[in-house]
């Protein structure tokens, strides 16, 4: 490595940062979650309001993560922040939750979105979506076990394909499709708790906005992060929110809120209306490619959680094995797959696979997101003199607002997401005995490698 390369300063401009943020956030969820959001919205105003509120929560959350990422840079992410703020027991429980609920649930969610579109291309019977989901998880796990990392180089290309598919849908909907008259929709759950239904709607919206917490770590690569980080997050949030609002206005214009609720593959349905069956087939292929890209990245990164658990808990040391030839944690990948497969079966036996997997992951995810937000407050008190290249504005208001939002989403998803939510929380509780198995303080790894 040259001396210049070793001493170079962070080189990402504001435009570079915005491009990376938009590329990380905009994904396959926009083709899977709008119908589920519509099922929890009473009318079109509420529906659009949920997407606007999601953009606001994304911005506030990203600002909080940006301060944590700038002040405590570490590849361990939330594991590292929770460890610093609340101790090893909380961070270890998070690692368990991420490995058994959050990450595996996320794999299952994307796999079912893939399955819904793949079923359009190659029908496999009543449980076709679940079969497609299972096949793709097994195939991509095998790919990662073999150590074939070449697919990582295609992530940028696949992001471009996602944007191409979304732009195609928006343009087709605006210019080519005939709008339908909206009907007065019935309440999503006339006898239920409205706040709870809106909370579940926000859960699906924020899953579509997912990824901003990873993009917030850009602070270590930006030029002048103290000034530019807020610009990147503000501009990026406006771009993502604008694109999602435009896409959803197109969906409403073409299908109406009631029609949107009934669609299982909204992008393909719209393109079929506009360009006939072959248009729907083409978009289904593009969305399947996008889902495969997301799944591959999620499977690869998720296996590292088990690897960290194997290093921190002696009784799970077999998970910490690393295959030098393939440069991958083979055992961790296999365990991750074995946990995911029963989730796919649970989703297949549910009325809606995507919705059941979201219910499974949501309460646990938002619980630890709330603890991460509170970590910022705790670390400010514990380390008041620590250098912070970026500080969240309006402190402590914004961190408290974000923590309260996370707590509300945890409450809504726990009470109104059904059996799946209780199952996810039960799996979290099953990890409590792990806290008795951790190594002594002097030997516990930080989880950041």
């Amino acid at each position: 490595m040259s001396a210049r390369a070793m001493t170079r300063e962070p080189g990402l401009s504001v435009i570079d940062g915005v491009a990376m943020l938009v590329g990380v956030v905009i994904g396959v969820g926009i083709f899977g979650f709008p119908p589920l959001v519509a099922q929890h919205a009473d009318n079109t105003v509420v529906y659009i309001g949920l997407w606007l509120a999601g953009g606001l929560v994304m911005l506030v959350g990203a600002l909080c993560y940006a301060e944590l990422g700038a002040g405590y840079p570490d590849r361990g992410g939330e594991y590292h922040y929770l460890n610093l703020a609340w101790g090893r027991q909380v961070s270890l429980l998070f690692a368990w939750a991420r490995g058994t609920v959050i990450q595996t649930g996320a794999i299952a969610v994307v796999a079912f979105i893939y399955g819904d579109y793949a079923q359009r291309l190659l029908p496999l019977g009543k449980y076709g979506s679940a079969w497609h989901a299972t096949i793709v998880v097994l195939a991509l796990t095998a790919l990662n076990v073999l150590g074939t990392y070449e697919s990582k180089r295609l992530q940028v290309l696949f992001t471009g394909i996602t944007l191409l598919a979304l732009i195609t849908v928006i343009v087709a909907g605006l210019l080519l499709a005939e709008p339908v008259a909206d009907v007065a929709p019935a309440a999503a759950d006339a006898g239920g708790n409205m706040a709870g239904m809106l909370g579940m709607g926000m859960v699906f919206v924020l899953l579509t906005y997912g990824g901003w917490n990873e993009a917030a770590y850009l602070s270590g690569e930006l030029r002048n992060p103290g000034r530019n980080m807020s610009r990147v997050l503000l501009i990026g949030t406006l771009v993502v929110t604008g694109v999602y609002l435009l896409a959803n206005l197109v969906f409403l214009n073409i299908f109406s809120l009631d029609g949107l609720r009934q669609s299982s593959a909204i992008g393909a349905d719209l393109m079929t209306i506009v360009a006939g069956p072959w248009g729907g087939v083409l978009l289904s292929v593009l969305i399947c490619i996008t889902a495969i890209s997301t799944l591959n990245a999620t499977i690869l990164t998720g296996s590292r959680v088990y690897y960290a658990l194997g290093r921190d808990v002696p009784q799970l040391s077999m998970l910490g094995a690393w295959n030098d030839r393939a440069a991958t944690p083979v055992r961790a990948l296999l365990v991750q797959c074995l946990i995911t497969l029963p989730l796919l079966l649970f989703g297949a036996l549910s009325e809606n696979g995507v919705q059941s997997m979201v219910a499974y992951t949501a309460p646990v995810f938002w619980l630890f997101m709330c603890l991460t937000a509170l970590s910022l407050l705790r670390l400010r008190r514990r380390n008041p003199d620590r250098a912070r290249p970026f500080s969240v504005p309006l402190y402590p208001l914004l961190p408290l607002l974000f923590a309260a939002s996370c707590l509300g989403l945890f409450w809504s998803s726990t009470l109104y997401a059904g059996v799946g939510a209780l199952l996810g929380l039960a799996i979290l509780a099953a990890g409590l005995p792990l806290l008795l198995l951790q190594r002594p303080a002097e030997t516990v790894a930080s989880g950041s490698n």
Side-chain angles (χ1 to χ4, degrees), residues 3 22 34 53 93 100 102-104 120 255 293 299 304 311 315:
V22 172
L93 191 60
T100 59
I102 298 172
Q103 198 79 0
T104 47
R120 296 291 188 97
F255 294 99
S293 169
I299 288 171
R304 273 58 180 174
R311 297 188 326 165
Q315 288 81 356

Side-chain angles (χ1 to χ4, degrees), residues 140 154 216 264 302 378 393 407 444:
L140 290 176
L154 298 178
S264 62
R378 185 170 176 85
L407 189 60
V444 174

